[in-house]
Amino acid sequence: MTSTPSVAGGNSHASLPAPQQRVIWGLAWPIMLSNITVPLLGLVDTAILGHLDSVSPLAAVAIGAQIFTLLLWSFGFLRMGTTAVTAYEAGRAGLPQSIHVLYQSLWLVLPIGVVCACIASIFTPLVVPLFGADTIVHHLAREYLAIRFWGIPITLLQYCLVGWFIGRGETRIPMMMLICANLLNGLLNYYFVWHLNMGVEGVALGSLLAEGAAVGIAIWAASKRGLSLRIPYPDRDLLRRMIVINRDLFIRTLTLLLVFALFAALGAAQSTETLAANAVLISLLLLISNALDGFAHAAESLIGRYTGAGVPDYVRRIIGLTGLNSLIAALLLSVGFILLGETLFNLLTDNPEVLPRLKEMQVWLWLLPLSGFASYWLDGVMVGAQATASMRNAMLAAAVLIFLPLATMPWWWTTSIDSNTLLWAAFHCFLVARAVFLLPALLRIIATQCQAKSD
């Protein structure tokens, strides 16, 4: 990796990577590879359950995973907030000093874990019945969640550690964590479901054990970089800064997950088959977003470090390069889905009730990379620049002004169009709107960097 030992205007101890394609890809490809394994293993779970005789387990895991995601990813700000502050501190004071950010992030895990456990016990019985009227599916979803909720502290720790490594620019550590964990998840789920006949409980247990393995790898790697069991007392100033950033990210992430929950609920209200078909497409959406997030994470790390070191030219250049790479990757993904055609759906399920629904909706899959790439990339830029308030406001505007009215409008005047088609159209508009609402913030960041250079 090409690097610059010291940069005018930055900290003399900061060693910064140069803003060029080689550096971007050096950070992005491990994240892309590891992130792709996450939805791929989700697709493996879908394939394992999709080939059972009943569609109920697939629908139940779709509901259970959505609720677990809604709860835990609401606190996914731990990952992004840790990345933002770690990258800035690494650029300002050097990599060794970034260990203090990890300690502050770990201080947040215990109270958040307690809050998550309380929310899970209170709201799960209330939320599950909202997903359709199939009581068998509801029962299976509760069985899935009863096991997954034991992993709440593990998931929160993983957020902190992954965010810290990305902020430091050490993306190969999360790659090793996630690939190992997801391969283990797939193997365990296959064994539990097909050999031990554990059904949805087997899928939940496999996910729990796999996440534990990932955290074990992360703690071992962090200990080699200064992490100690003797965690120092909180740094009030640094912790306060992280709380402000995390507050904005919490609202942003919660809004996004509520959109996904409403999307799933509206699909479930149509039929169990529609819920299952939408779950397959959402799994493919996660494949897309996780692949494109490689460039977003590269932007987070590099923009944060360049900002901390005070190098505005580097910030502007990396914004342009990561955006271009995201666009090219999105085009390639769309072409790939078109070339695969219906073969991909046949690999994921052979259910005669779900397959026709998937074939009707394949055009929405083709458009997903192009609709979403700009919002994923701009999120990375905002995290790196610590413009988290802009992320929050853009997400709220896209959800409330675009998705909510389009997804819930009366269908009586469009009876000739399938309701699920209109639901997907609303979701695509939501993805595009997120990027549009972030454009003013992007222009402000660029203008600020230009002003910093002239000063």
Side-chain angles (χ1 to χ4, degrees):
M1 179 180 294
T2 304
S3 61
T4 305
S6 62
V7 182
N11 187 284
S12 60
H13 299 289
S15 180
L16 296 176
Q20 55 186 239
Q21 286 282 32
R22 180 183 175 186
V23 172
I24 292 173
W25 276 96
L27 290 172
W29 78 260
I31 293 296
M32 294 172 69
L33 181 60
S34 57
N35 280 355
I36 286 173
T37 66
V38 177
L40 280 180
L41 266 295
L43 294 177
V44 170
D45 292 347
T46 300
I48 290 171
L49 296 173
H51 287 85
L52 296 177
D53 293 335
S54 173
V55 72
S56 295
L58 178 61
V61 170
I63 292 173
Q66 185 69 54
I67 293 173
F68 185 82
T69 298
L70 176 62
L71 175 61
L72 269 297
W73 280 16
S74 298
F75 300 95
F77 59 75
L78 280 173
R79 203 286 300 163
M80 291 183 286
T82 303
T83 296
V85 181
T86 299
Y88 182 87
E89 291 299 316
R92 184 187 66 83
L95 286 176
Q97 298 302 314
S98 67
I99 189 65
H100 299 295
V101 180
L102 179 58
Y103 285 133
Q104 310 316 308
S105 186
L106 293 176
W107 273 111
L108 296 173
V109 169
L110 180 60
I112 292 174
V114 172
V115 171
C116 281
C118 293
I119 293 174
S121 62
I122 295 172
F123 288 100
T124 298
L126 303 176
V127 173
V128 170
L130 298 178
F131 290 84
D134 193 325
T135 56
I136 295 177
V137 172
H138 295 169
H139 174 72
L140 293 174
R142 284 191 288 268
E143 289 183 345
Y144 173 88
L145 288 169
I147 295 174
R148 285 304 305 273
F149 284 148
W150 284 101
I152 287 175
I154 296 173
T155 302
L156 296 176
L157 283 172
Q158 182 172 327
Y159 290 161
C160 294
L161 290 159
V162 168
W164 186 66
F165 284 118
I166 292 175
R168 287 168 56 92
E170 297 180 310
T171 54
R172 296 190 184 190
I173 304 299
M175 177 185 71
M176 181 172 63
M177 290 169 54
L178 294 178
I179 289 179
C180 291
N182 288 318
L183 287 175
L184 180 61
N185 178 55
L187 293 173
L188 289 175
N189 287 353
Y190 174 78
Y191 177 72
F192 290 151
V193 172
W194 284 97
H195 291 273
L196 299 184
N197 298 316
M198 293 180 66
V200 296
E201 291 179 324
V203 172
L205 182 59
S207 299
L208 176 62
L209 295 175
E211 285 193 349
V215 169
I217 293 171
I219 291 175
W220 172 82
S223 68
K224 300 294 183 180
R225 291 157 176 79
L227 179 65
S228 171
L229 293 177
R230 298 180 62 182
I231 299 177
Y233 288 108
D235 180 327
R236 292 185 179 180
D237 293 336
L238 186 56
L239 188 59
R240 187 181 300 112
R241 193 166 117 220
M242 292 186 69
I243 289 174
V244 170
I245 292 173
N246 288 334
R247 177 199 62 199
D248 295 332
L249 292 172
F250 170 73
I251 297 171
R252 172 260 181 200
T253 305
L254 180 61
T255 303
L256 174 62
L257 294 175
L258 287 172
V259 167
F260 275 105
L262 177 60
F263 181 92
L266 292 173
Q270 298 176 49
S271 68
T272 301
E273 292 72 29
T274 299
L275 170 63
N278 284 349
V280 173
L281 287 190
I282 289 297
S283 296
L284 292 169
L285 170 64
L286 293 178
L287 172 66
I288 295 166
S289 62
N290 279 292
L292 296 176
D293 269 350
F295 299 113
H297 291 340
E300 291 176 16
S301 179
L302 293 171
I303 291 174
R305 293 173 72 181
Y306 296 154
T307 302
V311 196
D313 282 343
Y314 281 18
V315 174
R316 296 199 309 274
R317 179 166 173 77
I318 215 65
I319 288 174
L321 288 175
T322 52
L324 176 62
N325 283 315
S326 295
L327 173 59
I328 293 172
L331 290 170
L332 292 176
L333 282 170
S334 290
V335 171
F337 285 131
I338 293 173
L339 294 178
L340 283 173
E342 298 175 1
T343 303
L344 180 60
F345 297 143
N346 292 324
L347 290 174
L348 297 176
T349 181
D350 57 3
N351 188 288
E353 297 174 326
V354 176
L355 272 175
R357 299 293 294 159
L358 288 172
K359 294 175 182 178
E360 292 171 3
M361 299 185 292
Q362 63 181 348
V363 65
W364 298 116
L365 173 63
W366 299 345
L367 293 174
L368 275 175
L370 299 177
S371 299
F373 87 92
S375 60
Y376 308 144
W377 161 61
L378 287 173
D379 278 351
V381 173
M382 298 300 135
V383 169
Q386 298 188 26
T388 51
S390 297
M391 291 178 65
R392 176 199 65 201
N393 295 340
M395 184 66 73
L396 285 169
V400 175
L401 300 180
I402 304 299
F403 180 76
L404 185 61
L406 291 179
T408 59
M409 69 169 58
W411 305 120
W412 58 268
W413 56 276
T414 55
T415 53
S416 62
I417 303 177
D418 178 68
S419 296
N420 202 47
T421 297
L422 293 169
L423 183 60
W424 275 100
F427 186 76
H428 279 265
C429 291
F430 163 73
L431 291 176
V432 174
R434 283 174 54 190
V436 172
F437 289 133
L438 279 173
L439 287 178
L442 175 66
L443 295 177
R444 285 196 299 271
I445 291 170
I446 294 174
T448 299
Q449 297 301 321
C450 291
Q451 181 64 38
K453 180 183 179 182
S454 63
D455 293 341

